[in-house]
Amino acid sequence: MSEKEKFIEMVEKKNSDQPEFIQCVREIVESVWDVYTGSEKLKKARILERIVEPERIIIFRVSWQDDAGDVHVNRGYRVQFNNAIGPYKGGLRFHPSVNLGLLKFLAFEQIFKNSLTTLPMGGAKGGSDFDPKGKSDNEVMRFCHAFMSELYRHIGPNTDVPAGDIGVGAREIGYMFGKYKKIKNDFTGVLTGKGATWGGSLIRPEAIGYGLVYFLQDMLELAGKDLKDKIVAISGAGNVAQYAAEKVIQLGGKVIMLCDSDSTVIDESGLDSEKLEHVMHIKNVKRGRIKEYADKYPAVCVTGKNVWEVISEKNIKVDIALPCATQNELNGENAKALIKNGCFCVAAGANMPLTPDAVALLRENKILYGPGKAANAGGVATSGLEMTQNSMRFNWTREEVDAKLKEIMKSIHAQCVKYGSGGGYVDYVKGANIAGFMKVANAMLEQGVC
Ligand code: NDP
């Protein structure tokens, strides 16, 4: 067994009940092994062994009461994985599937994503197995307050700055910020994704989706292509998917598919801004299901299948695929179907949305593939810009934030190209992993054994 395989086996043994974390570690190790073992200094300091071990994990009970007065108990987490280059930073996810392994994968991924943004942010993630679906606003508020009544002692503007993720949007950030401020008597930038009138950054809600499409544009430009009239399939119908769709439409692409955890809708004529506004109304205001889209506009609706399964089943032609729902949503079979149906570019809005065999197939077939840690980094980058504005007690305009976001996405793209080019193909996975890793590894080296 090679030294690399021995290393991965050691991580597997220690974390045997955490498949997503192991998957994510394997990908990083595969990419960085040669540069790591090529450096005596990094090896001697055992940087790789240290980097796969979280610096701190906090697990806590969250008790709250529903509207009927019944008491519920959920589990809260914060994984503070690495703060070598800045305060811990990463979102909070509220979803019944949340467990420690899932959050360790997301926090580990976040270390390298944050490093790529060029901003000083460490990696973290947190959340709870609480399900906001079907809960009243008051129930969500009581849960968020209960969650923050423990989390507040572990975070701070120079320590750890959480943000949103699946199930945590502007409403939840508002409730958590309110509780933090009350307990600490301190109005400070402890969370990002805040409302625009109380410390939030303009463009923050749009940033992941917009940043994804800016990154996509950079990939296409380098390959001598553009977005105009390209057929685009997007999975998810949440924050990332909505704003990715908005930017694709603005730039002349044709978005024909969206999905949620219940069903997929196909609108062959393509979404326009009015149709997208309706999607936002269904998902953000009514908190309903995407299939309601077909009540108003001509569309085919497939229940129980995501976008990639529907493409595989119906052989739908798409040029570009933007997975923006959740981890491991697109498998090898789906990747084969995408390639067969003419897809030449996949860019990840979600974190690790492709299974390893799907990624391998895209790379073998020289399909452009932008992994999440590079392509969706616009969200955390704009969170970083929100932190800067909070420190300065000053707000940049929409245009200023958008210009900075574009610049950051360009810089991430350039780092991927620098470390991932070879044989006429840019391996964005390798490029992103090496660039993200080296900065953190060198910072750890310079800070000594701690
Ligand atoms: P949201 O909760 O706003 O939206 C998620 C969407 O994906 C929902 O429409 C949801 O459906 C759908 N979905 C979830 N699971 C499945 C599934 N198994 N099959 C089909 N659809 C599914 O989350 P975000 O848009 O914020 O996050 C989406 C992805 O982007 C996640 O991987 C997240 O980690 C990543 N991300 C988020 C960032 C952020 O700051 N928000 C930053 C960077 C990445 P339903 O409506 O039915 O629940």
Side-chain angles (χ1 to χ4, degrees):
M1 190 187 280
S2 69
E3 286 303 307
K4 183 171 71 183
E5 283 306 321
K6 276 189 204 153
F7 179 85
I8 294 170
E9 191 184 64
M10 177 275 290
V11 176
E12 280 172 349
K13 272 199 184 135
K14 270 191 171 176
N15 305 280
S16 56
D17 56 344
Q18 300 172 357
E20 295 93 351
F21 176 61
I22 293 166
Q23 181 182 337
C24 182
V25 169
R26 180 179 277 280
E27 188 203 278
I28 296 278
V29 171
E30 297 278 0
S31 295
V32 306
W33 188 259
D34 288 349
V35 283
Y36 176 67
T37 52
S39 162
E40 279 308 318
K41 277 185 181 171
L42 294 182
K43 265 196 312 182
K44 190 155 188 295
R46 303 188 71 169
I47 295 293
L48 209 50
E49 280 92 333
R50 284 160 58 194
I51 215 167
V52 296
E53 203 56 49
E55 283 166 10
R56 187 178 303 107
I57 295 174
I58 301 137
I59 302 183
F60 51 99
R61 185 185 72 202
V62 188
S63 313
W64 59 282
Q65 271 181 306
D66 65 21
D67 290 343
D70 290 335
V71 175
H72 298 264
V73 182
N74 286 98
R75 190 169 284 180
Y77 303 85
R78 188 71 180 161
V79 179
Q80 297 178 332
F81 219 122
N82 190 298
N83 69 354
I85 62 168
Y88 302 111
K89 180 94 195 87
L92 296 170
R93 177 176 292 193
F94 292 167
H95 193 273
S97 65
V98 163
N99 59 42
L100 183 57
L102 188 76
L103 294 178
K104 275 179 69 184
F105 129 60
L106 289 163
F108 189 63
E109 182 86 349
Q110 197 82 41
I111 301 170
F112 309 104
K113 181 192 307 201
N114 292 2
S115 162
L116 281 170
T117 65
T118 71
L119 302 175
M121 299 181 289
K125 201 85 185 187
S128 173
D129 55 1
F130 171 74
D131 187 359
K133 271 205 198 85
K135 306 289 190 303
S136 70
D137 280 352
N138 274 329
E139 287 172 333
V140 171
M141 180 183 75
R142 284 196 289 273
F143 175 81
C144 289
H145 284 177
F147 184 83
M148 188 51 89
S149 70
E150 173 57 35
L151 187 68
Y152 83 94
R153 65 184 96 241
H154 309 289
I155 61 176
N158 297 310
T159 309
D160 183 355
V161 185
D165 191 76
I166 291 179
V168 178
R171 174 181 65 168
E172 290 75 15
I173 293 289
Y175 292 147
M176 286 190 276
F177 185 77
K179 187 67 177 184
Y180 181 90
K181 186 166 58 72
K182 183 84 184 165
I183 301 173
K184 298 281 285 189
N185 194 24
D186 194 14
F187 194 111
T188 186
V190 70
L191 293 166
T192 57
K194 300 186 289 298
T197 55
W198 43 277
S201 174
L202 295 171
I203 304 272
R204 177 61 187 91
E206 297 90 337
I208 316 150
Y210 280 16
L212 169 67
V213 180
Y214 295 150
F215 190 86
L216 169 67
Q217 272 189 305
D218 291 335
M219 291 169 83
L220 294 179
E221 191 182 308
L222 190 67
K225 299 178 192 290
D226 63 28
L227 248 174
K228 186 100 188 75
D229 298 327
K230 299 297 179 304
I231 300 173
V232 183
I234 302 181
S235 62
N239 175 275
V240 181
Q242 291 171 15
Y243 288 108
E246 183 168 284
K247 191 50 79 178
V248 168
I249 295 165
Q250 280 173 16
L251 294 172
K254 187 174 173 187
V255 178
I256 60 159
M257 298 170 85
L258 289 173
C259 71
D260 62 13
S261 54
D262 176 75
S263 50
T264 289
V265 289
I266 313 160
D267 181 343
E268 299 268 6
S269 64
L271 272 75
D272 55 21
S273 54
E274 184 200 306
K275 290 174 176 177
L276 185 60
E277 207 174 299
H278 187 57
V279 170
M280 291 180 176
H281 179 75
I282 294 170
K283 296 305 291 183
N284 309 348
V285 181
K286 284 179 69 188
R287 298 190 185 269
R289 315 305 292 160
I290 192 69
K291 65 182 170 205
E292 293 165 40
Y293 179 90
D295 297 339
K296 183 158 179 189
Y297 297 108
V300 175
C301 192
V302 184
T303 304
K305 294 206 160 66
N306 75 15
V307 162
W308 320 117
E309 290 164 328
V310 173
I311 289 177
S312 307
E313 197 178 275
K314 293 184 180 287
N315 280 317
I316 297 170
K317 179 191 155 32
V318 296
D319 299 311
I320 295 167
L322 303 179
C324 297
T326 194
Q327 64 280 347
N328 290 328
E329 58 172 285
L330 195 162
N331 64 22
E333 284 308 307
N334 308 145
K336 258 188 224 157
L338 280 171
I339 297 167
K340 193 175 114 195
N341 287 294
C343 176
F344 58 80
C345 182
V346 180
N351 287 308
M352 206 171 73
L354 272 65
T355 58
D357 55 336
V359 176
L361 268 163
L362 296 185
R363 290 161 101 184
E364 275 161 30
N365 286 277
K366 304 267 188 279
I367 305 294
L368 292 174
Y369 170 56
K373 69 171 71 62
N376 74 29
V380 72
T382 310
S383 277
L385 299 178
E386 183 171 327
M387 290 163 74
T388 307
Q389 292 171 86
N390 291 165
S391 301
M392 295 192 306
R393 298 188 185 281
F394 184 77
N395 283 339
W396 288 316
T397 64
R398 218 182 141 77
E399 290 70 28
E400 283 170 318
V401 179
D402 198 32
K404 286 180 202 304
L405 171 62
K406 271 188 197 152
E407 201 180 301
I408 290 170
M409 297 318 293
K410 273 211 180 306
S411 150
I412 296 173
H413 183 261
Q415 294 175 69
C416 294
V417 173
K418 178 173 170 192
Y419 290 100
S421 297
Y425 176 67
V426 181
D427 184 338
Y428 285 90
V429 174
K430 184 175 162 199
N433 286 340
I434 295 178
F437 172 79
M438 287 312 287
K439 187 169 152 195
V440 179
N442 285 325
M444 289 173 73
L445 199 61
E446 284 163 19
Q447 290 166 20
V449 181
C450 51

